[in-house]
Structure formats: structure tokens, C-alpha cells
Amino acid sequence: MTTTPHPLTLHDDRLFSSDPVQRAIARRLYAHVGTLPIISPHGHTDPSWFAKNEAFANPTELLLLPDHYVFRTLYSQGVSLDALGIPRRDGSRAKVDPREAWRVFASHFHLFRGTPSSMWLNHVFHDVFGLRARLAASTSDLYYDHITAALQTPAFRPRALFERFNIELIATTESPLDPLQHHAEIRESGWRGRVITAYRPDPVVDPEHEQFPDALRSFGEITGEDVYSWDGYLRAHRQRRAYFASMGATSTDHGHPSAATADLSRAEATRLFDKVVRSNVTAEEAELFRGQVLTEMAAMSLDDGLVMQLHPGCFRNHNRALFERFGRDKGADMPLRTEYVHALKPLLDRFGNEPGFQLLLFTLDESTYSRELAPLAGHYPALFLGPAWWFHDAPEGMWRFREQTLSSGGFYNTVGFNDDTRAFLSIPARHDVARRVDCAFLAKLVAEHRMEEDEAVEVAVDLAYRLPKRAYRL
Amino acid sequence: MTTTPHPLTLHDDRLFSSDPVQRAIARRLYAHVGTLPIISPHGHTDPSWFAKNEAFANPTELLLLPDHYVFRTLYSQGVSLDALGIPRRDGSRAKVDPREAWRVFASHFHLFRGTPSSMWLNHVFHDVFGLRARLAASTSDLYYDHITAALQTPAFRPRALFERFNIELIATTESPLDPLQHHAEIRESGWRGRVITAYRPDPVVDPEHEQFPDALRSFGEITGEDVYSWDGYLRAHRQRRAYFASMGATSTDHGHPSAATADLSRAEATRLFDKVVRSNVTAEEAELFRGQVLTEMAAMSLDDGLVMQLHPGCFRNHNRALFERFGRDKGADMPLRTEYVHALKPLLDRFGNEPGFQLLLFTLDESTYSRELAPLAGHYPALFLGPAWWFHDAPEGMWRFREQTLSSGGFYNTVGFNDDTRAFLSIPARHDVARRVDCAFLAKLVAEHRMEEDEAVEVAVDLAYRLPKRAYRL
Amino acid sequence: MTTTPHPLTLHDDRLFSSDPVQRAIARRLYAHVGTLPIISPHGHTDPSWFAKNEAFANPTELLLLPDHYVFRTLYSQGVSLDALGIPRRDGSRAKVDPREAWRVFASHFHLFRGTPSSMWLNHVFHDVFGLRARLAASTSDLYYDHITAALQTPAFRPRALFERFNIELIATTESPLDPLQHHAEIRESGWRGRVITAYRPDPVVDPEHEQFPDALRSFGEITGEDVYSWDGYLRAHRQRRAYFASMGATSTDHGHPSAATADLSRAEATRLFDKVVRSNVTAEEAELFRGQVLTEMAAMSLDDGLVMQLHPGCFRNHNRALFERFGRDKGADMPLRTEYVHALKPLLDRFGNEPGFQLLLFTLDESTYSRELAPLAGHYPALFLGPAWWFHDAPEGMWRFREQTLSSGGFYNTVGFNDDTRAFLSIPARHDVARRVDCAFLAKLVAEHRMEEDEAVEVAVDLAYRLPKRAYRL
């Protein structure tokens, strides 16, 4: 093994076509968007970071353990979660030196070749930490020491990074049961960073969620409403939505197994809710209930102006043994085939033409881009398409999203990028990838004489900055 | 706002790769097909245009109001159909000055960036009307005046345009109830333009069509057959098919919710038909009936030689409120997931190997290209693939069609392009896009040494001219 | 018609991008893999060729008649199977001079333009036989005579070709009922070519297979087990697996209509098996049984180390009339929509995390690449993705496979290429196409600065050589 590590570079033209005509156009477009402030309207960073502004501990705690899209790749090649020191469901944790865990990661870094994780991580290593050698077994300790040292400095505290990253706004995501104290602390602190919340009520909406009975009880306690009556339950939502809005929220977020919506009569909904709270619903009734709540949420949106996001189509915690030992969010969520045209009709029949109602749709089923989502969003005033998401948040996935939604949906029924991440340090890298891919895509249109360059500049700025602000009412 | 409008250009190399090797090949291929006569074997132009040869009124009436794929985009961004003066279902219409409606369109023209509509419209503006400034709010009146004036001149009458467009043949689409008087008038007029019809019996085939009972009654009146008996119903079809054939038809066209076919015994079919005419079929029975009629149509094809086209997989009039107010065809049709392998088996078991039977398949579900359609068409002598269609009739969609059907279906089980449009002025633009995309696609194969250029020339001419003539027996 | 045939060329840079930057990188990568030995761990060559080492007869018998992916294309354009002399189900065969059949093929060779068949065949013509004129009607006899003469020489005997092709290992596929005598003869012959078998038990696993009752009886005879009891049936599998392993097998192969798996209790499995052997199972029970056997096979894999391959999603023998006259494998198999996330869960719940268990998944439904397969393989240690397969084994299909599996699955959860072919002479051509496409794909990543070239070299060698050896334990 050589003792000279490979250099780590971040090419100025990365993600642009190697065709010189397209590359030159892409560069010119990128010059208009590369340094625009970051709008991050949907994500999973921890608001306590910005409230407390404490130093992160080390690279393992910061970059490896919380990122199940990094450690799932190691797991898929035989690295056990205990070898990394991932916390278990029961709160225990294998005794692993974080430096050792980082070495395991470093020695498997070739597994990420070509993946978005390698791009994001290398961007972080290079631009955030100033590293210039590639991560490998031989550089593992160099990385560990360098990053750990940097993290102890003021420039690497969460608020300093937020400012350095040129984040204009970031939204976190909280359950209705969350008191939002960190958001309150941020506001009271006088710090000018704009950190808002988003209302994600899944645990009190999904009767099949393992926390549903407890969550519902807490929902009653926190709101003082009788959440075991349909009317009280809806009032509780209205109350919490209003509180979230007062903490800056401009959107709600709904992660359901399918896109099913329903539009039951008041009597039917009441009967269904009575079964739900008695915890004896069938799978079909649970589906119907979730669908009915979506339509109720749309109705509330019209009143309080919160934009609605729907992310359907995921089988959560697919790996039974892993779930039993390590709990949720361990990289075992799997996309499902998803239908939209029939599923959304009840909700759209009520609110699809309603001025002021905005429903942002996401998918994990790319076959719906051209078949269902773009035709729907290209017609209904209320519908907009969220960006290529989760498993598809990669250059190829973003490219497919544009290629498959452009003809029926255009650019202007999409909402720009959102990073959807808890990996705070990677946020600039993720937005940069999205901006570069959009510039490369537009450069191809210009190079093939389907659009003039002045139009492409406008579209690039719209996608990077204006459309997310419009879509999320920021 | 500047007072100098942006220039409108139509680049000679549009839609060709910016790679110089591929572009040079594409140019040479295009030189063989760019000026070939247009074969338009499937479309929705109004035969009265060619029968009466009257002047079109103004750009709003000609280009905006009939084209629901233009105004759906405006609608999706909050422009009401009344703001454009779209006729309502009850025959009334908001009082809108067509010049004002055109201004609304012009000021939203940026919404079409990158879409096929913008390519087609710019082609029409540039080549048909000679405009050299880009459409925008600032040029709206210039456009309106210029186009309105042009339309009053003899060169812009329908027949003059037909000849200028170098159309060798155009097919319209009519219901069996249509007396085809315009087609008769065209024939009797002595004009040499070849305008033929196609037999589209959906209103008398689909028991769930809202016009079915009335259409069936008229079907009986126009044919003199007892269309309430299964035998009489089939005889009525045979009679009308023969009449359509005498008016030039070489094909039938079937737009069904799914690709389901059936092959019932005579007794079963008779029983089913009796339920259909008593109007008390379930959704499953309606599906079965449509499927049985498809198989009957195939049987008739073997006798009268009309080529059969099947376009399944669309949820029509998805927007309930819009349908109630404005009626059909207002841009609210939505593609559905569609299955072919099981669905077509009953029909293929009877006629799939039959010499002389030709079934042209279309889809709105691109996931079936490589999975079902190309393997089916690459085996059954009776099957051919229609081009990328409707929502997929765009450069990206055409490219996906070729990339996903080539390996199993080849070029020679496809039927070339058809424009499927009611937007008469855009027909040259649409065929030009298809020819350019095919040349670009072939140029890539040549540039990557997968095909010799002399072969690509032959394929290009086949796709643009010979294959549609063979597929539609023209 | 000209008397000068077109030259036949095989360009050194075929399948590489025409962009000079990408092409130069691809060339450099290919220099590392182009001449690596061929690992062919999954295919359908006839072991008797290598056991007997007899001369092939003529090009029609060698290249046309056994290759249903060649003659299906002719059939789709109206050439009858009798015109080619394809053997019928009853053993009879139309009297056709093989030279005449070859002429029919030659005169239709343009149908293959752009398809992988044309690439493979031209590679065989050019490199294996040294032909330098393109196949066409005018060169048909020249081809026939030249190839027939070559085949009579020692250099064209199967073993000589095996060595010339630089095949390190080839696996054939046999039924449990096969005595593997040809494999035994090869071993005993002293020839050093490594030809191994693979265990494909479909005829004794699928109650809906037309040979199931007979196959089950033979299964009992060949093993001496009571295969009409569930325990005896499982013991018979274990015994035959052990025998196959002793003949070099390192894998089993399962071709099922769906990916369904099951994990029944012993009592349930026994009851189901009793119905199966009494031949009165419903379609649902047959599906359940196949799914249960897959899980049993996985359990045996843990014991005997045979890697498991699953190829679901094909409707076999779709063309009824053709099947009745000509039997199986006549080019009428059709892909089906296939679901994996729910289907595999029973098996994965038992063995998905098991060290030492390897399940290689294939698909004919490309919509599952990014949605299901890459996310599953990118998580479960036991899962790996087989290459683009069958209808998708073409440059475009391979490219889509990489583009749609890379971000969630990476390169290292895939298993490299396998040719899956009975067309022995095309094996070098097929592996060459796969290596070139992977080099072209990697070259794009390098050219767009997503990977360094030294990394791409390693990945290219891994895909061409190391990963198949690891995946198949060779």
C-alpha cells in the first residue's frame, strides 16, 4: 500500500457535460445561481443545534451515526451496525471507539463510488474541512484528527456554519406533540438565522403507527381537546397548526404508505374515527382514515394558509430483525409502487381548483413522473411537484425527474430543490448538486436550440431560489 | 421592461446533439427526410376546414381556444378558462375580447419553456407567419395584428396551407354516427388534397360513455339495423366500416380505459349485450363488453382490411368541477397504469398470427415500452407500435420510446410518426420534431459505431415515410 | 442491386461516446478489461458440445435455429417458422434446405438494425469467422459457404473455440433430473476447460408446469426418496444439490412467474404439499408453494453454500397457437410487471441478514430498478443485483440498469455481467458489449468529475472480473 494518499479534488465543472458547448453554457448559467442563498424548506436538522449552538463531537457522531444512508451501504456489504456503534432500540450501544468506527467507514469508502453520498461527503471534506487527501483506510486517522480538531473551533459551531453556508431559511420537521421549545429559544436568542418548523402529524394520523395510541393521548394532553371525538380531534389539529404557524411554519408534511385520499360525509368520518380510537380498524379502514385526514388537512390549509406536502409510497422498517434490535430509521425503508390518479381524486374533487390551496407531491415511484404526476400538476392549479426525492435525490434521479416531467408539467409546476436531510454539513453540497444538475439540463436545451440562453438564466434562478419561496410561501 | 423584443429564431440544427460528430451525421440524415411529404394517418383536424376552405378568424380562435394542451398549462398556473373565453358546456361563453385573451396567453408564454408546445408554437410563428420577435406581453398586439391580417389572405386558407405544408395525406377521426358530408364535399370539389376519415366507434362501444344510449339509438337510425340485438349491432358496425372505407378510411381507432380484450362465445356475448342495452352493466361487465367488441373489430378487420388502432389507459375528464362547467376535452385527461400482456391475450390467441391483420398499439404508460410492448410487437406478426403519444409526444418522450423499444422491437415493428392533433398549423412543426429526433437518435447509433450511415439513411426514410404508409395501408 | 457488398467493420471505439473526452477515458478503461478472461456464471450452452467436441454443421443449425431471439424478429415480420425449418413440437420439421433458410435470414437482416442481435452477430461474423462483407441477400451464399467450411476445421470445434474465447469458466443450467453425464465426461476427459452446472429445479417446483407430474416421479426415481412426502421431497432436493455441487455447481437458478416467497410452518407446508402432489391446487396455492420452496432453497443454501438466483416475471409461451405447434422457447415469452418489496419479505425476514447467504435478483421489469431492487440490495447483506437481463441485455438496457441502480445500490451490490445465452459463438461479443458499456458509463462519471480515473479503473475490473467471481463463489 502506498503511503502517498490520492489527492482530493472538487472540480469547478463537476456535473456539467464534457461536451464543450454544453459545458460553457452550464458554466454561464451556474454563475447566476451558484452563490444564491440557500432556501431549505423541507428537512430534518435538529433545532437544538441552533438553539444551543454547542460544538459537534467528532466525525463519527456528526457524519456517520446519524446518516442511515451512509451506514446502510456499509451494512449491505456485511458491516454490522454494532461495529459502528449505532445506538440500539433499548438505548444500549456496543462499546466502540468512534475512531475505530471511523476507520471501518474509511476502509469501505470505495463502496460509495459514483453515489450521491460520495459527492456530498467529498464536498464536505474538501470545502467545509479543507481536506485535500482522499478518504481511505490510510487517511482515516488524519481525517478523524483533523475534523475533530476543527469541530472544537468557533467557526464550526452550528450557527457559524449556518451563516457560512449562506442559508436564508431552514425548516425542520416536528410532530404535533413537540413543544417547539428549541424554536422558541432560537427566536428569543436574538440570533438572526431563520429556523422554522413544519407540521408533521403522522403519529397522530396513522392508526397503524406503533406509537399511535400514546401519541393520541399526548395530543389530547397538549391541546386540552377531547381528541377521542372526531370534532375534538380536528380542533386539536387546528390548534397545533396555529401554534406551529406562530413558530414560523408555512407547511405541513404527510408521509403515508399510499396517496389515498377520501371525502367522507361527517357521519361516516365520525363512525370511522370511533373505530380508530377503539383501535380495531382493518388495514383498509386505516387507509381510509389516513386518506380522510389528508382531506381535512387540505380544508384546514385553506383556512390557515399552510402549504401541504404529501410523500407517499414507502414501506417503513422492512427489515424485521433489524427493527426489533435497532428500531426505526436504520436504512431499511423501501419504496413502493404508488398510484395517484385515482388516489387523489377525492381530495382534488373538493379542493383541486381552489385558489390559495397548494399541495406539493413527492414520489418514490419514478414511473409516475410522466404518467401521472406531470399530467396532474400540469392541469390542477393546486398541484405542484416536489423534487426528485430520497432514493432519487442523485444526479441521475434529478435528470430523470426533469426529463420526465418537463413536457407535461413544465418547469413552473415544480417547486425547486429541497434537501430533506438531517446531515447538516452536507446541505451546501446537496443544493450545489441540484443547481449544477439543473444548469446542465438547461444547458442541453440551450445547446440543442430548444430554449434561448436568456430564458435558461431565468429558469435557473427560478428553480434555485424563486420557486421554493413561492411554493412554500416564504 | 425593455422596448426591444427578443428575436425569435429557429435554428437549423435544433434538436440535434451539440456533439459535433453526432450533429454532422444528424444533418446528413435529416437532408434525406426534412422535405419528404407529410403522411398524417391519425389526427383530429376538422374536415369542414378543407370542405369549406374558409378563412380562420384570429390567433385566439385558431391557436389558443381549441388547443387544450396550451390552455391547460395556463389553467395549472391559475388562469381561469373564462379569462380566455373558452366555451362552456351549456353553450355560453364569458365575454372576452380575443385580443385580451391573446394577451393573457402572451404574458404567460414563459410557462411553456422547454415544452413541446413552445417548440411547435414558435415554429408556427416563425415559419408559417414569418414572425421574428419572441411572443411576450410586449409583443402580444404585434402578434395579434400580424396573424389576424395574414389569416385574411388566400395563402392562409386551409387548402392553401395543406398544399404549402406538403401534406400527402391527412386522416381525420369520426364517430360512426357522422354522415361524413365534409369528406364527401371534399371529394366532389375536385380539389386534389387527400383527406380521409378513420372509424372511431367509442361512443357506441363504451356502455359507460355518457352519450352511449343516445349514440346507440342514432347508430340504429343511421344504419337501419336492429342495434339492440347483438347480430344487428355487429351488422351496423360492418355497414358503417364499409361506408367509412368508401370515404377513404384505412383504419379504425379505439380509445379504451384499458387494453382488455375478450373472446366470448356467441351465447355469452349475446347475453352480455342484452345487459348492455338494458343499461344495467357493472363496471366489470362494461370492461368485458368493450374487450369483446375489440375482438369483433379485429375479426371485421380481417374482412375489410381496416387497420386497427388501440389507445388505452386514460382517465377522461378527471376534474369534476371543470367537466361540469366546461365539458369534455379541457385538458383534464390523466394517464393510467396499463397492462398489455394478459389484457391482449384473448384477442391475440384468435388473431395474433393472422396474415393481413394489423393492430397498432399506443400507450400512455411508458413503463410498458420495454417490459410489454416491444416484446409483444417483436414477436407477434399482427402487432406494431404506434409512436410516443399524447403526453409523451415530446423530444424526451420520443427518445425514450426509441431507447426502450429498440432492443426487443427494432425499428421495423414501429409505424413512424403520427401527429394526433387538431392544431392544423402545427402539423409541419410536429412532423419536423419527430424527424429530427429520429435523425438525432440514429446519429448517436452511427457515431457510436452501432450502425453504418447508409443503413441509418434507410431507417430515417422508413420512419418518416415508408413505415406509416405500410402500417396504415396508404 | 449493386454487386459490391457493403464492407463489414467492427470499430475499435464502438459503444463509446463520440464526445472526445469521454471516448479517450473509455478507451483507457477498456484497455484494462478488454482482454480479461471471460467468467460466464449463468448460461444455457449445451454441455454435450464440450463433452463430445464435434463440429457444428452449418450456420443455419449453429446461429439461426437455436436462437429464438433471432428468429422471433423474422417471425414478427411475417416469416413463418416452417420457412426456416424450425423443429416442431411433434418432432417433425418442414423440409427446408438450410442454405435456403439462411437466405431468408440474410434477406431480412436489416430488421436487426440497432438491436443487440445485430451487434453480436456482426461481431461473430467479423471476429470469429473473419468475414469482411455485410450480411445481405447478395452475400448470403458467400456467408453460408465460408462459415460451413470454417466449421469443419479443428479450430472451430467447441473446445478450441472455448480456449480461443479465453473463457475461464462457463456454467450451464440443468434440471435436477439431468444425470450430468456430459459434465462427468468433460471432467474425465482430461480437458482443462472449466464447465460447471447450475441447479434449476423449476420443473419439480412449479405445480403449474406442464411436466410437473412426470418430473416429480422422475425426481423420486433418480433420488430414491419418497418425493410425495414433504420431508422426502426436501431430502431429494438436498441430495441433488449435493450432486450438482460435486459437478462444480456453485449456484441454483429459479425462474418463477413472480417473486413471491413464503414462510409457512412445517404443518402448513406439509398440508400444502399434500394438495400439490394430488394435483389439485389453485393458482394461489401454486404461487404459495413456489414461494415456500424458494424459502426452503434459501435454507439449503445456508448449508451447502450454493448461491441462489431468482429470475421472476415472465409469462412463458404466450402465443397459444405457436406453442401448440412448435412448443416451448419459440420467442413468445413476455415480461410481466413484478413486485419485490412485499414478495420477498417472508424470505428476507428469515435469511436477509444471514452471513453467507447470497440471493442474486434479476428482473424483466425495469421500473423496479430504482424503486425496489436497488433500495433492497443497498440494504440487505444477502441481496445482490444480477445484470440487465434477457430483453434488457442491450446497450440501452445496461445503461438504464447502471443509471437506475447506482445511487441506491452502488456498483458493489451488483454482480457483473452474465450472458445467459445458448448462442455459444456470441459469448465473447456479449461480454465485450457489457465491458464497453460499463467503461462508457464510468467514462461519463469521470468526465463529469464524479469519480477519479484510478477509481474507475478499479470499478471496471471489478465489474468485468472480480464481482462475478465473488458473487458466484468461483
Side-chain angles (χ1 to χ4, degrees), chain B residues 19 22 337 341 345 353 370-371 375 378-380 403 406-407 412-413 447-448 450 452 454-455 470, chain C residues 9 11 15-16 18 23 72 75-77 113-114 134 318-320 331 335 337 365-366 391 396 400:
Chain B
D19 172 69
Q22 290 189 34
R337 197 158 64 206
V341 170
K345 194 162 193 318
N353 301 293
S370 68
R371 188 181 59 217
H379 167 72
Y380 280 101
E403 279 202 331
L406 178 58
S407 70
Y412 290 93
N413 290 302
E448 296 180 357
R450 294 176 51 187
E452 300 294 336
D454 66 286
E455 299 177 290
R470 183 186 75 165
Chain C
T9 58
H11 199 284
L15 292 167
F16 298 159
S18 54
R23 183 167 287 199
R72 84 192 299 269
Y75 187 73
S76 80
Q77 291 279 319
R113 283 173 182 158
R134 217 188 286 163
H318 189 269
N319 188 326
R320 190 175 63 188
R337 198 156 65 206
D365 180 355
E366 293 181 304
F391 295 99
E396 290 81 7
R400 287 195 291 273

Side-chain angles (χ1 to χ4, degrees), chain C residues 1-7 133-134 136 138-139:
Chain C
M1 190 180 290
T2 174
T3 52
T4 316
H6 289 286
R134 217 188 286 163
S138 65
T139 57

Side-chain angles (χ1 to χ4, degrees), chain C residues 88-104:
Chain C
R88 301 189 195 115
R89 198 179 185 182
D90 63 9
S92 71
R93 188 167 163 173
K95 261 188 91 153
V96 179
D97 179 354
R99 178 183 295 272
E100 278 307 318
W102 187 259
R103 283 178 186 153
V104 171

Side-chain angles (χ1 to χ4, degrees), chain B residues 97-355:
Chain B
D97 178 354
R99 177 184 296 273
E100 277 307 320
W102 187 257
R103 283 178 187 154
V104 172
F105 172 50
S107 67
H108 286 82
F109 196 58
H110 65 284
L111 298 179
F112 295 92
R113 283 172 183 158
T115 68
S117 293
S118 83
M119 259 190 315
W120 299 328
L121 286 162
N122 280 330
H123 185 124
V124 169
F125 298 154
H126 187 280
D127 267 22
V128 180
F129 291 110
L131 288 155
R132 292 295 179 269
R134 219 188 286 164
L135 181 61
S138 64
T139 58
S140 177
D141 284 358
L142 180 153
Y143 264 68
Y144 192 87
D145 294 334
H146 178 95
I147 294 174
T148 304
L151 292 177
Q152 308 321 309
T153 64
F156 286 82
R157 294 288 172 101
R159 292 184 181 180
L161 289 172
F162 186 103
E163 288 156 9
R164 175 178 167 193
F165 291 167
N166 195 20
I167 296 174
E168 183 174 315
L169 170 138
I170 200 166
T172 64
T173 308
E174 271 79 34
S175 148
L177 311 179
D178 192 297
L180 304 184
Q181 71 191 63
H182 300 306
H183 290 83
E185 286 166 24
I186 293 167
R187 300 195 149 211
E188 288 154 13
S189 74
W191 178 55
R192 296 162 54 106
R194 191 168 167 208
V195 179
I196 65 175
T197 183
Y199 187 72
R200 172 120 179 201
D202 300 356
V204 297
V205 167
D206 180 5
E208 296 179 318
H209 197 291
E210 79 268 22
Q211 299 162 359
F212 179 75
D214 290 346
L216 193 61
R217 189 173 353 95
S218 303
F219 197 39
E221 291 164 8
I222 204 168
T223 58
E225 295 287 353
D226 170 14
V227 296
Y228 297 95
S229 81
W230 179 231
D231 285 349
Y233 174 78
L234 294 178
R235 277 196 308 274
H237 274 297
R238 288 187 184 272
Q239 186 195 122
R240 290 308 285 168
R241 290 171 64 111
Y243 180 62
F244 272 60
S246 79
M247 284 296 161
T250 68
S251 68
T252 70
D253 186 26
H254 306 274
H256 286 201
S258 82
T261 63
D263 189 16
L264 302 177
S265 70
R266 204 180 123 73
E268 291 167 324
T270 304
R271 266 197 302 277
L272 179 60
F273 185 72
D274 289 347
K275 297 190 75 170
V276 164
V277 296
R278 291 198 315 270
S279 298
N280 59 352
V281 284
T282 63
E284 289 70 30
E285 289 165 334
E287 178 87 341
L288 186 63
F289 181 71
R290 289 187 296 260
Q292 180 62 24
V293 175
L294 284 182
T295 305
E296 302 291 345
M297 289 286 137
M300 293 181 198
S301 264
L302 276 166
D303 293 339
D304 63 21
L306 295 183
V307 169
M308 189 167 172
Q309 300 174 85
L310 178 59
H311 303 76
C314 195
F315 189 127
R316 304 269 171 182
N317 313 307
H318 190 268
N319 189 326
R320 190 175 66 189
L322 202 80
F323 175 68
E324 283 166 5
R325 188 168 168 83
F326 288 95
R328 301 194 140 242
D329 296 333
K330 293 299 172 292
D333 299 337
M334 300 298 159
L336 294 171
R337 197 158 64 206
T338 305
E339 200 276 341
Y340 292 87
V341 170
H342 289 102
L344 293 176
K345 194 162 193 318
L347 190 153
L348 291 173
D349 274 346
R350 272 194 64 188
F351 301 117
N353 301 293
E354 207 63 58

